[in-house]
Amino acid sequence: MIIDCHGHYTTEPKDLHRFRKEQTEAANAKDKSKMPARAGLKMSDDEIRESVEQNQLKLQKDRGTDLTIFSPRASGMGHHVPDPATAVAWARASNDLVARVTGLYPENFAGVCQLPQIPGGGLGDVVAELRRSVDELGFVGANLNPDPSGGLWTSRPLTDE
């Protein structure tokens, strides 16, 4: 078996981008009343299949790999957004989408989660999403950002207790 150990979902359905745009606008405006609900995300299995079959799955077949360790788009994880509730909702939406891909193609993809890290944030939400992703979604790993501040290095090092 040939395993590609590093794949990101870079061709997500359009509604995920709409959701994130509305979410960040509400967070930046500090207007919780405009925060979109994850339940409002509308992505059919057919949209997901189309986005993966013509991209990641096609590349997997072309390159001769059997399984891709698959996670949300790295550049879109948005760890620099400082609101904990926004980070949790975004991580859950992103991880749920990856879980849908792995559910549709269990022989081709193994899930890796995004964690709701924020600059200077605690680990409670991070650990909760890690546990949910492994225990409920069956993921095999997590993306851990050593600098959730987005290059400003204002958070404590990961080696701190």
Side-chain angles (χ1 to χ4, degrees):
M1 174 180 273
I2 299 173
I3 300 173
D4 176 352
C5 68
H6 187 156
H8 294 287
Y9 195 2
T10 58
T11 57
E12 314 93 329
K14 291 178 185 176
D15 203 48
L16 184 71
H17 299 283
R18 179 221 30 101
F19 173 82
R20 182 58 170 172
K21 182 176 185 252
E22 290 177 8
Q23 188 190 51
T24 53
E25 286 172 355
N28 289 336
K30 297 182 176 27
D31 186 353
K32 300 286 185 190
S33 70
K34 293 187 179 180
M35 192 62 67
R38 282 186 320 124
L41 276 166
K42 302 294 183 218
M43 296 175 283
S44 70
D45 285 351
D46 286 340
E47 285 178 278
I48 294 168
R49 282 186 193 97
E50 183 179 329
S51 73
V52 172
E53 287 176 2
Q54 298 306 312
N55 297 288
Q56 288 89 354
L57 197 57
K58 181 182 181 303
L59 290 171
Q60 188 182 73
K61 290 176 183 176
D62 290 348
R63 294 174 180 161
T65 58
D66 301 301
L67 177 75
T68 301
I69 308 298
F70 198 61
S71 67
R73 180 189 300 254
S75 63
M77 290 188 191
H79 295 140
H80 62 285
V81 176
D83 179 61
T86 301
V88 168
W90 179 236
R92 289 180 69 98
S94 298
N95 294 335
D96 288 347
L97 181 54
V98 168
R100 287 181 66 188
V101 171
T102 63
L104 291 169
Y105 302 97
E107 300 298 317
N108 299 97
F109 298 102
V112 170
C113 68
Q114 167 181 328
L115 298 172
Q117 294 176 262
I118 60 170
L123 294 178
D125 290 336
V126 171
V127 171
E129 184 59 16
L130 177 61
R131 286 193 171 135
R132 183 185 86 90
S133 295
V134 171
D135 294 342
E136 295 175 26
L137 303 179
F139 284 12
V140 299
N143 286 306
L144 181 65
N145 187 342
D147 178 31
S149 71
L152 301 176
W153 296 98
T154 56
S155 295
R156 295 184 319 263
L158 293 174
T159 55
D160 285 3
E161 292 184 19

